[in-house]
Amino acid sequence: MRSAPKSLGERDLADDQFLTRDNSLLSRPKIEPPGCPQEAVTDALERPTRMLVGEGEGTCTSPVIAVACIKTLRAEVEAYVQAGIAPATKRAYRADLHHFEAWGGTIPATDALVAAYLADHAPLLKVSTLTRRLAAVSIAHDARDLPNPVRSPLVRATMRGIRREHGATQRQARPLLREDLFVVLAAMGDRLKDQRDKALLLLGFAGGLRRSELVAVTCNDLERVQQGVILTIRRSKTDQDCVGRKIGIPYGRTIYCPVRALENWLNAARIEDGPVFRPVDRHGRVSACCLSREAVSLIVRDRMSTAGFDPTGYSGHSLRAGLATSATWAGVSTFKIRQQTGHASDAMLSRYVRDGELFIGNAAGVLL
């Protein structure tokens, strides 16, 4: 005989409690069991996780973005939930919420309060920054299953007006083009730090790598083949699940060959395992740790300045932008460019392609 269905409060943990990625911005629980105290729904952006442990209530000091109130939570489960969110994302949303609260905002917030926050900061912050702040406020409400003011017509209309009044153009790093890169390389010497920077600039350009990808390269990620080197990118901004991808770094046809520059650096620094790009002090001692992402930007700007260029607008991303733009000028197909850079679609690549094609077949250039 079929038993009567359990009430929601009597259902097993497997029925009620599970994590989901249904939130496009961040994971959150689909259900909050009735009777669960509101503070038990975690919002690690501002508070530690609250959960029921056995018969008593405890506090978990490790931040979790969104976990429903449950009777038991194994340490392994919490660790995996933590790993599902990038540390940089946690830091960014936490800082955004702190800024909102320092202004006078509260969670929960009304649509009028959020709209007032946007209006006060529209002259001070970029549209992209305000958009991210809204995302943090939205996640804080969704994590607690509260009415979300960010989705209200008032807040949407306010943001639409801000975009019209202040513009939504994003600042982009200036591309380090092939010809300019060669000038920069020609101005460098043969010291150990020079050899490191040559390899870093050439590999970053040839691979169309992000700063985070470049500093994460290890000796185990390099496979020597007849045509050059196969580089394995184990994790990237668009590959948080570590699926990984491989790109080819071919031998160069000029004196500025990324493969030879890489080998020269590794041999000179006697690096056989671990990180490829490492700090070098003024005495020529090579550290065992990897360079920071900020160091890549500093190296690019410093080398640009030494070569006589104005470094304003250049950053670590200039290497990636430079490859995409230079390849477009050379007539390389968007498919092959994406294969090297790892862009998910032509839409993401279009910013570089559009800039690179401004003077290709230009109507004014044909007439004047």
Side-chain angles (χ1 to χ4, degrees), residues 7-285:
S7 66
L8 184 57
E10 296 173 339
R11 290 181 186 171
D12 294 333
L13 176 64
D15 297 327
D16 280 351
Q17 308 299 334
F18 54 92
L19 296 174
T20 175
R21 292 188 178 182
D22 60 333
N23 186 322
S24 59
L25 294 173
L26 218 53
S27 299
R28 63 181 176 86
K30 275 187 182 258
I31 321 172
E32 179 191 345
C36 175
Q38 181 63 55
E39 61 267 28
V41 180
T42 306
D43 180 6
L45 300 177
E46 56 180 16
R47 292 183 179 86
T49 302
R50 303 286 295 179
M51 61 182 177
L52 299 180
V53 182
E55 297 297 328
E57 183 175 314
T59 301
C60 175
T61 56
S62 299
V64 181
I65 293 300
V67 179
C69 172
I70 61 177
K71 295 182 179 179
T72 58
L73 183 61
R74 291 172 52 189
E76 296 90 341
V77 175
E78 182 184 346
Y80 282 126
V81 174
Q82 299 267 7
I85 306 300
T89 301
K90 295 179 186 178
R91 289 193 300 269
Y93 284 136
R94 186 181 296 113
D96 290 339
L97 272 185
H98 287 167
H99 186 273
F100 178 67
E101 291 180 337
W103 171 82
T106 60
I107 304 295
T110 64
D111 55 353
L113 183 66
V114 175
Y117 170 79
L118 294 174
D120 282 355
H121 292 90
L124 306 174
L125 302 177
K126 293 184 292 185
V127 172
S128 58
T129 302
L130 289 176
T131 300
R132 197 188 68 197
R133 297 262 163 89
L134 279 183
V137 173
S138 177
I139 290 166
H141 284 79
D142 285 343
R144 303 180 183 185
D145 199 22
L146 296 169
N148 195 331
V150 176
R151 300 193 183 102
S152 70
L154 175 61
V155 173
R156 291 183 177 182
T158 303
M159 273 305 298
R160 189 160 53 246
I162 290 174
R163 290 189 184 96
R164 288 177 64 89
E165 287 294 323
H166 298 281
T169 303
Q170 289 185 322
R171 183 180 62 184
Q172 298 179 12
R174 296 179 62 183
L176 179 53
L177 302 175
R178 174 181 179 270
E179 291 73 16
D180 295 338
L181 174 62
F182 286 176
V183 174
V184 170
L185 294 171
M188 297 167 65
D190 294 319
R191 297 176 306 163
L192 189 60
K193 187 174 290 187
D194 293 327
Q195 295 187 53
R196 180 202 64 188
D197 291 353
K198 284 180 183 178
L200 183 143
L201 295 177
L202 281 168
L203 186 65
F205 181 90
L209 302 178
R210 300 178 177 89
R211 294 181 307 166
S212 58
E213 297 168 348
L214 192 53
V215 299
V217 174
T218 67
C219 293
N220 291 335
D221 299 329
L222 305 174
E223 179 185 352
R224 278 77 172 177
V225 294
Q226 184 178 357
Q227 298 88 345
V229 168
I230 296 176
L231 173 61
T232 299
I233 307 297
R234 302 193 182 277
R235 171 180 287 183
S236 68
K237 177 181 177 182
T238 56
D239 179 22
Q240 294 296 318
D241 293 336
C242 302
V243 175
R245 64 185 182 92
K246 294 184 178 182
I247 59 176
I249 307 296
Y251 285 107
R253 296 177 298 173
T254 70
I255 59 173
Y256 302 116
C257 170
V259 178
R260 294 189 182 91
L262 182 62
E263 293 296 345
N264 290 341
W265 155 244
L266 292 176
N267 292 333
R270 298 179 181 179
I271 297 175
E272 297 180 353
D273 58 12
V276 168
F277 297 111
R278 312 179 182 192
V280 178
D281 66 19
R282 60 180 180 177
H283 302 294
R285 292 190 291 260

